[in-house]
Amino acid sequence: MEGVLIFDHSNDLIYQHLNEAMCAKMYKHATDLGLVEDEKIDVRKDLDSNVLIQIFSPLIASQRIMMCQFDNAYTSIQMENNLNLVFDEFLGYLFVQISTLEVEQIKRELGICICLLKHICGPSVYIIKNDIKKATLLTKLITTYRKLYRENQGILVEAIEQLLLNVDVKNTVVSALQAATEKLKQDPHSQRSHSIMFVGNKFLSLYSSRQAQELSPADMLFLNIFCQTLNSTENSKRIESHVLFLQGSSSQTTSGCIPHIVHILKLFDDVFLVLLIEHGNINLCGNLYDVFFALQKLRNLQMQMDVENLRSAFDGLETYVKHSVDSLKKIKYNSPEVDEAVKHFLSRWDNLRKRYSEFFKTSDNALIVKIESNMPMFVEAVKEVFKLLCAECSTLEHGLQRVSDIADMVEEKLTEVFNFLQVKSQKNFSMGSYLEDFPGLVHFIHIDRNNGRIVAPGLDLEDASNILKERIWSMVELSRTYLHKGNMSMIWKDITYSYGYFLWFEDVNGTALKPKEFPDFSTVSTKPQLIPGILAGDYYQRLIETCFPRTAANKIRCYELYCVHLGLVTSTNVLEHCRRLAVTITDLTGCVGNPIDLL
């Protein structure tokens, strides 16, 4: 029983996704309250939004008061019948998930729901209300994520499995992707592009043009979930084209909102070619993205009557607007609609800026009312400029024949290795090759958090009574709880197995680094509160920044290793195996690394 609801700034419901059990419960509750007539219902259809608003309005209003006036919002509420309700927020939009799952898992799902929405809408969350295609896509993405979380080791630990290939096959694939990228670049509007290949839920290879912004591990993981979502859709087309917003690498100066035209092509069974082309002016998009956040910060401070911090927040908004205006001056556009939108943006900003200037001179609180009456008009102007110059693409379908030709070319180049890739898509490798060197080892998961890739033996998901799979999922969830409290190394046992979890750091040369102190994020009140993972926010990036505050984050590598041994194996052997396994995997993947000191 679960459901996700999104409310806008006016507490209007703009999105709902309830499963049949939750739908039936909401209908029963609405009937008891006299909001609907007691009649036979179709639980596969959405409930009337007005009914849900009436059911949740007292709770939402209370949450808004706690959030806006006291800056002490609810994070979760536990109810009867094992139901838990979790809240989250993005740009003033309130996200609510109600479920029978544990609170921590609901928090993870809701954070990822926000992540998925950001990727398909950017900061324009409001469009999900009337854009049926995007609302349907979000629902499918959430459904796919939930399914993959139960089945896929990569989604479980929020990393993507690296397909292990011999040099000849790897060179064949890279050559095909290079040819695809070069052919894309023949179009002057496609100079900044990437060509990626996924085999099922595994990453195969990437080739990027020199000018393109580097993609983040979270981007790669999202794109794979996106491919899996389209693959599960009936009557899917050979080419799926969308405008998506990727965050880019944290080492670059972008604001985490880079619009891309994304073409996804299914070459063979489970083999996907993804062509990404940077769309529009990324500096303008990043600056407008910052404007959205600065506006929300001002709104919150005004509702809290926090006059002390209002000036610094306004200065931040003014800086981002100035950067946006500078970017607009560099853009050439021959559209009366865009020209009108930019004029409104400039005039309404000038009007809002004058109101704030008057307030800062006089400190007259009555002027806040004038500011609040003018702000919605400027917000609408920002939305319109972002929509026209960043989110919309009138030429999305343009050049599909060229994209199809590129797919045909890549397909032809991969014909010889097609059967091999199909086999690898089912199982990368098995534990059999490790049993002799690591007696008692049952399973392992190695994660390179620098590139978001995992190396792990395949699991037999066909076996419904797979006890090992169940224990692996429990192991990961338990380790997260302790990691959040600052424990980066642990070994424990149950009746059947011994478990080991280790997180460590290295410099770029592979030399192990030890933090001077281990942060306990469970006692830290910083916002937003991150959970171990990368989709709802890069937990490991923050961990590096906290452990090594005086070192540039891109100079430090973070790794994780999970091991499952038979219960008879001693802790000493578990530790020794983990040390040697880390080096073995380093040799296997070709990354720099030295023997590690795990404890």
Side-chain angles (χ1 to χ4, degrees):
M1 188 182 293
E2 55 196 0
V4 175
L5 305 171
I6 305 176
F7 295 88
D8 66 10
H9 304 80
S10 305
N11 296 343
D12 188 17
L13 183 67
I14 62 172
Y15 173 81
Q16 60 167 297
H17 172 40
L18 311 176
N19 68 4
E20 289 188 11
M22 184 60 70
C23 234
K25 183 174 181 63
M26 289 295 108
Y27 262 114
K28 183 180 184 306
H29 190 56
T31 303
D32 293 343
L33 293 173
L35 301 176
V36 295
E37 294 182 6
D38 188 5
E39 57 185 28
K40 192 174 181 180
I41 57 166
D42 184 354
V43 294
R44 293 169 297 180
K45 293 182 178 180
D46 287 350
L47 280 91
D48 183 272
S49 293
N50 292 323
V51 172
L52 287 171
I53 289 170
Q54 289 182 73
I55 291 174
F56 284 92
S57 60
L59 192 58
I60 300 304
S62 175
Q63 172 72 342
R64 292 287 189 193
I65 291 169
M66 294 298 293
M67 184 165 56
C68 298
Q69 295 188 16
F70 301 104
D71 195 24
N72 187 26
Y74 310 125
T75 55
S76 64
I77 296 175
Q78 291 178 290
M79 300 178 289
E80 60 183 10
N81 300 322
N82 295 320
L83 277 178
N84 293 311
L85 194 144
V86 169
F87 298 92
D88 209 335
E89 181 268 345
F90 175 64
L91 287 177
Y93 293 87
L94 192 58
F95 291 71
V96 181
Q97 181 164 341
I98 184 168
S99 174
T100 51
L101 295 172
E102 295 294 326
V103 168
E104 288 305 310
Q105 180 58 24
I106 304 173
K107 286 181 180 179
R108 177 177 298 278
E109 282 196 6
L110 197 55
I112 286 166
C113 173
I114 295 174
C115 162
L116 298 173
L117 183 60
K118 285 161 65 177
H119 275 97
I120 61 177
C121 296
S124 308
V125 178
Y126 61 93
I127 66 176
I128 205 74
K129 180 178 181 179
N130 297 315
D131 192 325
I132 296 174
K133 284 186 177 179
K134 286 194 183 294
T136 303
L137 179 58
L138 177 60
T139 298
K140 289 178 178 177
L141 284 166
I142 293 171
T143 303
T144 301
Y145 166 77
R146 287 173 175 165
K147 180 177 183 293
L148 291 174
Y149 186 88
R150 295 191 297 267
E151 300 174 354
N152 183 268
Q153 299 175 84
I155 299 300
L156 171 68
V157 297
E158 293 190 23
I160 190 165
E161 189 172 350
Q162 172 73 61
L163 203 66
L164 301 176
L165 303 171
N166 62 50
V167 175
D168 291 338
V169 176
K170 192 180 295 184
N171 288 341
T172 300
V173 174
V174 171
S175 175
L177 293 181
Q178 181 179 3
T181 306
E182 292 300 325
K183 198 154 187 177
L184 274 178
K185 286 172 63 179
Q186 291 175 8
D187 180 348
H189 300 293
S190 305
Q191 295 301 300
R192 304 186 306 273
S193 58
H194 307 270
S195 298
I196 306 170
M197 191 164 291
F198 295 112
V199 178
N201 50 39
K202 302 172 182 65
F203 169 78
L204 180 51
S205 192
L206 160 72
Y207 192 91
S208 305
S209 66
R210 190 170 297 178
Q211 306 97 319
Q213 296 282 316
E214 185 181 347
L215 300 176
S216 70
D219 289 334
M220 299 296 288
L221 188 56
F222 165 76
L223 288 169
N224 186 255
I225 294 172
F226 200 85
C227 288
Q228 298 299 309
T229 301
L230 297 180
N231 193 37
S232 64
T233 303
E234 292 183 10
N235 303 319
S236 57
K237 296 179 290 186
R238 189 202 183 199
I239 303 175
E240 288 276 357
S241 300
H242 299 263
V243 174
L244 300 176
F245 299 88
L246 304 181
Q247 65 183 46
S249 170
S250 59
S251 63
Q252 295 169 333
T253 56
T254 55
S255 296
C257 183
I258 309 172
H260 284 76
I261 296 171
V262 181
H263 302 291
I264 296 178
L265 305 102
K266 189 172 181 178
L267 302 183
F268 314 110
D269 288 345
D270 284 337
V271 179
F272 296 93
L273 173 65
V274 182
L275 303 176
L276 292 91
I277 303 163
E278 286 180 23
H279 168 59
N281 186 295
I282 61 173
N283 290 325
L284 173 64
C285 186
N287 291 328
L288 289 174
Y289 192 63
D290 289 332
V291 168
F292 277 104
F293 280 93
L295 281 167
Q296 185 56 36
K297 185 176 182 180
L298 273 171
R299 277 173 170 163
N300 289 342
L301 290 172
Q302 284 164 198
M303 283 188 281
Q304 294 166 16
M305 296 304 292
D306 187 352
V307 180
E308 249 181 64
N309 294 307
L310 207 57
R311 182 62 198 244
S312 61
F314 172 78
D315 289 343
L317 173 63
E318 190 172 35
T319 299
Y320 297 134
V321 172
K322 182 180 182 302
H323 290 162
S324 300
V325 172
D326 291 342
S327 296
L328 283 167
K329 289 176 181 177
K330 297 174 184 176
I331 296 175
K332 295 179 181 178
Y333 46 83
N334 298 311
S335 165
E337 188 180 11
V338 173
D339 191 50
E340 188 69 17
V342 172
K343 285 179 181 177
H344 282 160
F345 174 80
L346 295 173
S347 64
R348 287 170 181 173
W349 163 245
D350 192 50
N351 197 17
L352 184 65
R353 183 178 54 78
K354 286 177 181 176
R355 297 290 176 268
Y356 272 110
S357 296
E358 291 172 20
F359 171 73
F360 293 134
K361 284 178 185 176
T362 63
S363 297
D364 182 0
N365 286 339
L367 289 170
I368 291 287
V369 177
K370 289 186 178 180
I371 287 171
E372 289 180 346
S373 65
N374 279 273
M375 186 174 279
M377 291 184 286
F378 178 61
V379 171
E380 289 304 313
V382 176
K383 288 178 179 178
E384 187 66 11
V385 171
F386 186 89
K387 182 187 82 168
L388 293 173
L389 291 174
C390 301
E392 288 187 348
C393 179
S394 58
T395 60
L396 185 62
E397 301 297 321
H398 172 71
L400 286 187
Q401 184 56 52
R402 184 168 56 92
V403 170
S404 182
D405 292 343
I406 291 173
D408 290 340
M409 176 193 68
V410 172
E411 203 170 56
E412 185 179 344
K413 286 178 177 289
L414 297 181
T415 301
E416 293 181 4
V417 298
F418 163 62
N419 290 333
F420 179 74
L421 294 178
Q422 272 200 315
V423 172
K424 295 289 280 186
S425 73
Q426 301 304 313
K427 184 171 284 189
N428 206 359
F429 65 94
S430 66
M431 270 302 301
S433 53
Y434 288 85
L435 293 178
E436 187 176 335
D437 294 330
F438 301 93
L441 180 64
V442 177
H443 192 74
F444 69 86
I445 302 175
H446 178 276
I447 312 165
D448 181 345
R449 287 297 176 188
N450 182 53
N451 59 22
R453 312 269 168 78
I454 76 165
V455 176
L459 289 170
D460 183 10
L461 297 176
E462 300 299 321
D463 184 0
S465 61
N466 195 329
I467 297 174
L468 176 60
K469 175 183 174 293
E470 183 183 310
R471 300 292 170 84
I472 290 169
W473 262 244
S474 298
M475 169 182 67
V476 170
E477 289 166 2
L478 179 66
S479 69
R480 284 170 173 159
T481 303
Y482 283 92
L483 174 62
H484 209 52
K485 296 177 180 178
N487 298 287
M488 299 185 188
S489 300
M490 60 197 83
I491 296 175
W492 70 100
K493 286 188 175 187
D494 61 21
I495 297 173
T496 312
Y497 298 114
S498 292
Y499 307 92
Y501 169 72
F502 306 96
L503 181 146
W504 72 97
F505 305 97
E506 297 177 3
D507 64 17
V508 291
N509 298 314
T511 304
L513 301 173
K514 281 199 171 183
K516 292 182 179 178
E517 58 182 68
F518 296 89
D520 183 354
F521 286 141
S522 65
T523 62
V524 178
S525 59
T526 55
K527 295 180 180 179
Q529 277 275 8
L530 292 183
I531 54 177
I534 61 172
L535 288 173
D538 197 333
Y539 181 91
Y540 302 94
Q541 182 76 12
R542 181 177 290 185
L543 189 62
I544 290 171
E545 292 168 355
T546 306
C547 290
F548 304 96
R550 297 182 181 179
T551 307
N554 61 357
K555 301 291 185 184
I556 294 174
R557 307 288 183 259
C558 177
Y559 300 92
E560 290 178 290
L561 180 61
Y562 291 92
C563 287
V564 183
H565 285 77
L566 295 175
L568 296 174
V569 178
T570 65
S571 297
T572 304
N573 284 339
V574 170
L575 194 57
E576 177 58 29
H577 281 185
C578 289
R579 286 194 179 105
R580 289 197 290 116
L581 194 57
V583 178
T584 302
I585 294 169
T586 295
D587 293 339
L588 193 66
T589 56
C591 299
V592 176
N594 292 327
I596 52 171
D597 181 7
L598 295 170
L599 294 177

